């Protein structure tokens, strides 16, 4: 964004989320991205399928799915500052607190701090009863370069 104090509009964030949610990987995993209030990122798995399960042969969500959801949630937090700038997750620290079960799950991420090119964010993973089952902290590198499409990282 040209003005350092400017924030993206809800319309810009909604467009970013819609385009990103249409990427092949997000569709393959069954995930959806949204920015419901303009101050947090939400990644939902609205329909848990058999391939999402693992957890020692139980009906708990596989840790790889949880980690992927956290990666998307943390990795998309820079869009809350400027959705046109390229970014990439460079570090995640995941804490699994209890088995994550249910028919739908969600991750919510917010920005902890942001400098010129480094953003720190935190996220929580909720089961379908609203109980926190996992937490994550991450670091995202934010570039001055724009996304190739001009408004979204979705390229596949």
């Amino acid at each position: 964004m040209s003005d350092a104090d400017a924030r993206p509009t809800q319309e810009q964030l909604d467009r970013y989320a819609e385009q990103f949610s249409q990427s092949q990987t997000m569709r393959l995993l069954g995930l959806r991205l949204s920015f419901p209030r303009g101050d947090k990122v939400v990644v939902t798995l609205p329909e848990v399928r058999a391939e999402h399960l693992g957890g020692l042969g139980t009906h708990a969500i596989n840790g790889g799915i949880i980690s992927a959801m956290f990666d998307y949630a943390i990795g998309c937090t820079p869009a809350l500052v400027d959705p046109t700038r390229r970014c990439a997750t460079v570090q995640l620290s995941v804490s699994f607190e209890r088995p994550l079960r249910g028919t739908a799950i969600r991750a919510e991420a917010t920005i902890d701090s942001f400098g010129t090119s480094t953003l720190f964010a935190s996220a929580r993973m909720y089961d379908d009863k609203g109980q926190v089952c996992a937490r994550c902290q991450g670091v995202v590198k934010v570039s001055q370069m724009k996304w190739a499409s001009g408004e979204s990282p979705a390229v596949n």
Side-chain angles (χ1 to χ4, degrees):
M1 312 219 77
S2 57
D3 180 358
D5 295 327
R7 295 286 187 235
T9 65
Q10 189 63 49
E11 180 182 354
Q12 288 174 299
L13 292 172
D14 290 345
R15 188 170 49 250
Y16 180 104
E18 182 58 35
Q19 291 175 356
F20 197 78
S21 293
Q22 292 304 315
S23 70
Q24 290 178 13
T25 306
M26 292 285 282
R27 289 186 317 190
L28 177 70
L29 292 173
L31 303 176
R32 295 288 302 170
L33 174 70
S34 65
F35 302 93
R37 295 190 325 242
D39 66 347
K40 70 178 174 178
V41 176
V42 176
V43 176
T44 57
L45 177 58
E47 181 184 343
V48 173
R49 305 183 306 238
E51 60 268 28
H52 296 127
L53 304 179
L56 301 174
T58 70
H59 284 92
I61 306 299
N62 183 282
I65 299 298
I66 295 169
S67 296
M69 289 180 68
F70 276 142
D71 187 20
Y72 282 121
I74 296 280
C76 289
T77 54
L80 296 168
V81 177
D82 185 348
T84 67
R85 291 172 62 183
R86 292 183 190 209
C87 58
T89 305
V90 296
Q91 187 271 327
L92 289 176
S93 177
V94 179
S95 298
F96 301 97
E97 297 181 3
R98 63 182 45 89
L100 179 56
R101 296 184 178 95
T103 57
I105 58 174
R106 79 180 187 283
E108 296 183 1
T110 56
I111 296 171
D112 295 330
S113 64
F114 180 59
T116 306
S117 64
T118 306
L119 183 143
F120 297 86
S122 298
R124 293 179 178 172
M125 184 83 56
Y126 299 89
D127 63 15
D128 58 3
K129 294 176 178 58
Q131 186 172 3
V132 175
C133 296
R135 298 175 197 272
C136 181
Q137 291 186 301
V139 181
V140 183
K141 171 70 173 162
V142 183
S143 172
Q144 293 299 317
M145 293 176 60
K146 303 292 185 187
W147 293 112
S149 72
E151 59 185 352
S152 170
V155 294
N156 60 9

